[in-house]
Amino acid sequence: MLIYQRNVLPILLVLYLLLSNDGVQGEMKLSKLEELSLEKQLKLLNKPAVKTIKAKWGDTYDCVDFYKQPAFDHLLLKNHNFHPEMKPTLSMKKQIPSNSTIDISGTWLETDGCPSGTVPIKRITKDDLIRQRRMPPSEDTNFIHEETGGFRRAIVKTPDNASNKFAGAGMVASLWNPSVEGAQNSACRLKIQKGQDSVQVGWRVDPTLYGDTKTRFFIHFQAGNKHCYNTLCPGFVVTNNRLVLDTVFKDVAHRGANTNWELVMSIDRDANGNWWLLVDERMEVGFWPQKIFTALSNDFAENIEWGGSIYSPPGVPYPPMGSGFLPKTPDPFLDAYCRALTFSNDKGEKMNAKNTPIFLDSQVLYHVIDKPDWEYVKGAHQHIMFYGGPNED
């Protein structure tokens, strides 16, 4: 009877939290037992702070000792040899030029960042924990073709081939703020995958994850059956003491305006098999250690995706993607895009991605126009793809 009670009580608590939730902001009435349970979880997640920084968009970040950050709660990282001055050992033999209108180092924190030897980690709140219980399953297990609900993609990808060997990929994405409600989300991301393992980076509007409808920087990984956003669970090792995950991009594109706001990003495998996240081409944010993966542990990636992804709960109409309009006569000032699409081969050579089939989960709601040889500026060509929907001009 005692064993039965131990198994049932946590389930009942989860059910209560789900059924009692009044909205995506996590407003609900909690019993003393539930309050204590959440407080205990918060103490485990929020590490001691050397310094606390209030970001200009309102979130609180704790400057946590590098060695005490959440990543090292992962069972496979207990006996690591990582250190704060780590840099990726990348052998990139060709760089793809890009001209971002976002000064990435100036969008994060108003101060000088965290002291040397510490890294900024977003402080988790009670509302964050409550909303997490309403997060949908991972993309990789939830791309189902239902009448309504689930994830939908509008992407270009590498050809399906079991012999593919990719050591990384990159892109420059235009920043938008598609309108979503409730448990919907809308994102643009670069995704690298092999088997059940994958890593992603990009921007997303996600009230369930963030508690607001702002455009934010995000990362995601899946290792086998486990998946996680940002630093909400152990896995991603933060190395940069100035750049933060979850940042809000206050400058986003508006249809018909003559200014593009962009984010430059890449994921690259180093000589030790770790998968590094870089922004503005060579600015390291951190890495996913090869130890936490199986398929991506000591091997190269097999698939790459560039483009948009949305989610809607069953029975709820699908939200806008990108600019919210279907690209017809592609125009960088009207349509969402990903440009400078690149990949690195198993020798570390960075190349323009050219053979990229289009993939659409819904050919009615969302469209993709792929231009492998777009003249971005006079005389300079690069790969660009336009995506979006569901509205029409």
Side-chain angles (χ1 to χ4, degrees), residues 302-372:
E302 190 175 294
N303 303 299
I304 303 170
E305 296 179 2
W306 300 266
S309 170
I310 61 91
Y311 172 80
S312 191
V316 178
Y318 295 110
M321 179 191 292
S323 69
F325 285 79
L326 299 173
K328 291 183 177 178
T329 303
D331 184 334
F333 296 115
L334 295 176
D335 303 309
Y337 61 83
C338 303
R339 66 175 181 86
L341 308 188
T342 62
F343 69 84
S344 299
N345 62 17
D346 57 351
K347 296 184 176 77
E349 297 167 326
K350 183 160 280 195
M351 305 177 181
N352 284 306
K354 290 190 175 181
N355 182 14
T356 50
I358 291 172
F359 182 87
L360 292 162
D361 285 288
S362 172
Q363 298 188 24
V364 176
L365 292 175
Y366 308 106
H367 288 181
V368 167
I369 297 178
D370 195 23
K371 298 285 187 181

Side-chain angles (χ1 to χ4, degrees), residues 117-390:
T118 69
V119 291
I121 304 293
K122 183 176 180 290
R123 185 179 297 175
I124 305 300
T125 68
K126 187 191 304 179
D127 281 352
D128 292 332
L129 293 182
I130 294 170
R131 289 196 316 275
Q132 282 180 47
R133 300 175 187 273
R134 303 179 68 246
M135 291 292 294
S138 161
E139 286 182 5
D140 298 323
T141 60
N142 201 241
F143 273 121
I144 49 179
H145 296 278
E146 297 178 338
E147 290 291 327
T148 61
F151 287 89
R152 294 292 184 270
R153 287 169 290 180
I155 61 170
V156 298
K157 61 193 291 293
T158 50
D160 295 330
N161 190 331
S163 64
N164 286 342
K165 290 186 177 180
F166 301 115
M171 73 176 186
V172 182
S174 59
L175 296 168
W176 295 81
N177 182 245
S179 176
V180 303
E181 296 179 353
Q184 296 174 331
N185 66 61
S186 187
C188 173
R189 81 285 193 281
L190 164 67
K191 181 178 181 180
I192 293 178
Q193 182 176 20
K194 182 172 184 180
Q196 285 188 292
D197 293 350
S198 66
V199 289
Q200 296 185 49
V201 59
W203 61 260
R204 71 191 294 111
V205 181
D206 193 336
T208 307
L209 179 60
Y210 294 116
D212 58 39
T213 55
K214 299 172 183 175
T215 302
R216 290 179 178 254
F217 183 59
F218 88 98
I219 62 170
H220 179 272
F221 79 88
Q222 173 141 351
N225 294 323
K226 181 178 181 179
H227 78 106
C228 185
Y229 288 94
N230 305 323
T231 55
L232 291 175
C233 60
F236 184 79
V237 178
V238 180
T239 58
N240 197 305
N241 67 341
R242 277 191 53 80
L243 307 188
V244 296
L245 305 171
D246 315 281
T247 190
V248 171
F249 295 108
K250 67 180 181 67
D251 294 313
V252 295
H254 297 277
R255 270 194 121 230
N258 292 322
T259 302
N260 288 335
W261 299 98
E262 301 178 325
L263 174 64
V264 184
M265 66 201 91
S266 66
I267 298 170
D268 292 286
R269 183 181 186 270
D270 73 3
N272 297 313
N274 301 316
W275 293 90
W276 282 81
L277 168 64
L278 296 91
V279 294
D280 275 4
E281 296 191 279
R282 302 295 294 180
M283 192 179 297
E284 304 91 2
V285 181
F287 64 94
W288 293 275
Q290 58 91 10
K291 288 183 179 181
I292 71 173
F293 298 109
T294 301
L296 284 176
S297 177
N298 294 306
D299 206 351
F300 296 95
E302 190 175 294
N303 303 299
I304 303 170
E305 296 179 2
W306 300 266
S309 170
I310 61 91
Y311 172 80
S312 191
V316 178
Y318 295 110
M321 179 191 292
S323 69
F325 285 79
L326 299 173
K328 291 183 177 178
T329 303
D331 184 334
F333 296 115
L334 295 176
D335 303 309
Y337 61 83
C338 303
R339 66 175 181 86
L341 308 188
T342 62
F343 69 84
S344 299
N345 62 17
D346 57 351
K347 296 184 176 77
E349 297 167 326
K350 183 160 280 195
M351 305 177 181
N352 284 306
K354 290 190 175 181
N355 182 14
T356 50
I358 291 172
F359 182 87
L360 292 162
D361 285 288
S362 172
Q363 298 188 24
V364 176
L365 292 175
Y366 308 106
H367 288 181
V368 167
I369 297 178
D370 195 23
K371 298 285 187 181
D373 198 29
W374 177 273
E375 187 174 32
Y376 176 64
V377 293
K378 189 173 182 180
H381 295 258
Q382 60 180 227
H383 191 158
I384 186 169
M385 62 85 73
F386 297 88
Y387 69 96

